[in-house]
Every structure is written in C-alpha cells, then in structure tokens.
Amino acid sequence: MAGIPPKPWPTGEAELLEPLVRRVLAPNPSPYTYTGTQTYVIGAESDVAVIDPGPNEPEHIDAILRAVGDAQVSAIMCTHTHRDHSPAAAPLAEKTGAPIVGCAPLVLKTDLPRADEAFDTTYAPDRVLEDGEQMRGTGWTLTAVATPGHTSNHLCFALEESGALFTGDHVMGWSTSVVIPPDGDMGDYMLSLEKLQARDDAVYHAAHGAAITKPRQLVRGMIGHRRQRENQIIRLMNEQPRAVSAFIPYMYKGLDERLIPAAEMSVTAHLIDLEKRSLAARSHEAGVEIWRTI
Ligand SMILES: [Zn+2]
C-alpha cells in the first residue's frame, strides 16, 4: 500500500479527464480510500450518468450536483456497496429523480468484524445490471463488466465511446485491492483480473487514485503479485504451520499498524482459496486457527 500524496487534493472540484468524463473527489481520505472516493460524471450533453456517488456527505453531493449542472441525471451507477461508494446514491436519487442502476444489493450471511469500509445496507437499486448489460445516454454507453472478488457484487463499467473502464475498487493504481472474506473471494478476484487482462480497455479510472494509462501492464503485475504472495504463504506454511498473524511480519515489512487487520484478512483470503484448491488445511490449537500445507 502506498503513501498518500501531499495536500492539497482537488476535493469537491469537477476535473475534466476526457471529453465524456469528469471526476469529483469526495472528502473522505483514509488509509483505505487514499485521497478519497472519486465520483465520475459521464456525458457532455443533456443527460449524464454518475458512477460511484460516494459517501453520504452533503458537501460531496452538492459538488456532484454542481458538476451535473443543468443536465439530467439518467442513472446513478454503483460498482459495489462498500460504504465509501454507494450511500450517496439514495439522497442523490431523491434530489435528481434518477434511478439507481448497477451492482446487486449485498446480503451478508455473517456479521464478522472487517477492516475495509463496511457495507452499505441502505443500498436499494431500481435495476441490477448483469454482465454485459448496458445503460445508454446522449453520446455515451456504459456496459457492465462483472468483476467479483473485492466484493461478490462488484461491477466495472466500460465507456464504449472512449475505451475507458471504470474499475471501482477492483483495480486501482495506488494500491492492490483488499479482498476480505467471507464476501471477498480471492479465487473470484484472480478470475476477474484475468477477465480484464483479456480485454483491451484504453484507460482505467479507479474509484481511488490516478487514472491508469497502461492497464494491461498493471493487471499483469497484479496477477503476478498475488501469485507471489500465494507462493510466499505456501513457503511459510512449509517452514512451519502457523496462525494468520504469524505470516504478517514476513510478508508485509514496515506495514502501517492501522493496516494490519486488512493484511491479515488478505492472507486469510489466500488461505481460504488454497484450502478450496486442496493445497492448505486448518486446525484449531488452543483456540487459535493454525494453517498448514497438505
Ligand atoms: Zn470497496
């Protein structure tokens, strides 16, 4: 995970990234959100779509409305339902009359503690997009690309007119994506990376961090990084069976203490994936879960 760049950041300002794409940064910087969530306004004519409206912060919703101006909002689209992405959808829908379209709502089977931004339980879409389904406006077409892994309901959106892909939290330039079980799934995440590698998108606009201008190169690197992590985990288990916390000092040297829970969950996600593939097993010793290779 990378450090956050020095202030000032363009919080609340609409930045024109390409003729059809404007970006508005929300005021929610943190070790998990980098400089904050980036909301995208798509379209340059009478109607626009808003991707990832962000946290329910009045100041951010006002900034989105300023960027929209006189245009009609024809869709509010969420990549997934972490609390830094979707809570502004409902108030924005109320103010604009626009439908909420995009990822499915998420029903968690458990209520375990999680290090990532928690899930937004208020999210209620008017229409769920399946993989390949489209939303169209004047001069823009957005196609849903199902990319489960970071969350089970994660979608990317491809802007057909420019070749841009809105990657949400699936692929970001500043950091690797956090995959937190039980909803986050490392096996799905790897398949979703491979899915992007097989595409030829020109640029990625992620929900956090700068635009990615060499997307396939980045995705290839991420696939390699995760495989390396997996090999490291197997090596450490071969040295000695161990608890999740005993992987961290070897795998994440000099990690910001606040990010240790996220790192532990990421290692757990790898271990569960290895378990599913019959490459690892767990046992309980004195109340602690111990992982070993099989
Ligand atoms: Zn997220």
Side-chain angles (χ1 to χ4, degrees):
M1 304 202 187
I4 298 178
K7 285 183 180 178
W9 307 317
T11 306
E13 289 167 30
E15 300 170 274
L16 185 68
L17 302 186
E18 44 179 281
L20 289 172
V21 180
R22 282 166 292 158
R23 178 172 70 189
V24 183
L25 177 65
N28 62 336
S30 79
Y32 293 107
T33 58
Y34 196 54
T35 55
T37 304
Q38 299 177 130
T39 298
Y40 293 96
V41 178
I42 312 304
E45 296 186 47
S46 56
D47 56 285
V48 298
V50 173
I51 295 178
D52 279 346
N56 187 357
E57 298 271 353
E59 139 188 22
H60 183 55
I61 293 169
D62 286 348
I64 296 170
L65 290 172
R66 275 201 306 279
V68 167
D70 295 332
Q72 185 199 339
V73 180
S74 45
I76 299 166
M77 302 175 71
C78 297
T79 58
H80 66 298
T81 48
H82 274 148
R83 270 219 298 258
D84 56 326
H85 290 257
S86 55
L92 195 61
E94 202 169 296
K95 282 185 196 294
T96 60
I100 299 170
V101 173
C103 71
L106 194 76
V107 182
L108 288 175
K109 293 182 199 85
T110 64
D111 199 18
L112 297 171
R114 47 197 81 240
D116 197 359
E117 292 278 18
F119 286 93
D120 169 20
T121 50
T122 67
Y123 175 75
D126 297 290
R127 183 181 159 203
V128 171
L129 292 184
E130 303 293 334
D131 186 50
E133 286 193 319
Q134 294 186 325
M135 281 301 297
R136 283 197 185 82
T138 309
W140 56 264
T141 312
L142 288 164
T143 307
V145 181
T147 42
H150 173 66
T151 59
S152 59
N153 62 352
H154 197 288
L155 297 178
C156 294
F157 299 115
L159 178 59
E160 302 298 341
E161 286 75 7
S162 81
L165 185 73
F166 298 88
T167 54
D169 283 0
H170 177 47
V171 173
M172 302 179 282
W174 76 283
S175 162
T176 54
S177 186
V178 179
V179 177
I180 294 177
D183 183 63
D185 185 303
M186 190 59 73
D188 286 349
Y189 175 72
M190 291 298 282
L191 289 175
S192 292
L193 284 181
E194 280 162 19
K195 184 173 188 174
L196 292 204
Q197 211 184 1
R199 296 173 51 91
D200 58 354
D201 304 292
V203 62
Y204 289 170
H205 297 301
H208 312 276
I212 297 152
T213 52
K214 291 185 176 158
R216 275 165 127 174
Q217 197 175 311
L218 182 73
V219 170
R220 200 181 321 122
M222 284 181 164
I223 292 171
H225 169 77
R226 295 290 177 164
R227 293 216 173 108
Q228 232 173 2
R229 281 275 184 244
E230 186 180 287
N231 289 335
Q232 218 177 355
I233 287 169
I234 291 171
R235 216 167 42 237
L236 286 165
M237 283 190 294
N238 280 338
E239 273 175 24
Q240 189 185 343
R242 63 188 74 216
V244 168
S245 58
F247 289 90
I248 307 302
Y250 302 97
M251 295 179 62
Y252 299 86
K253 296 200 170 84
L255 182 70
D256 181 333
E257 248 177 45
R258 293 171 294 178
L259 296 174
I260 287 176
E264 288 188 354
M265 290 199 223
S266 184
V267 170
T268 304
H270 274 292
L271 288 166
I272 290 171
D273 184 41
L274 289 168
E275 185 182 46
K276 279 186 190 162
R277 289 153 57 201
S278 301
L279 295 168
R282 56 182 132 179
S283 56
H284 289 87
E285 291 171 21
V288 179
E289 207 163 61
I290 301 294
W291 290 85
R292 67 189 74 242
T293 48
I294 44 178

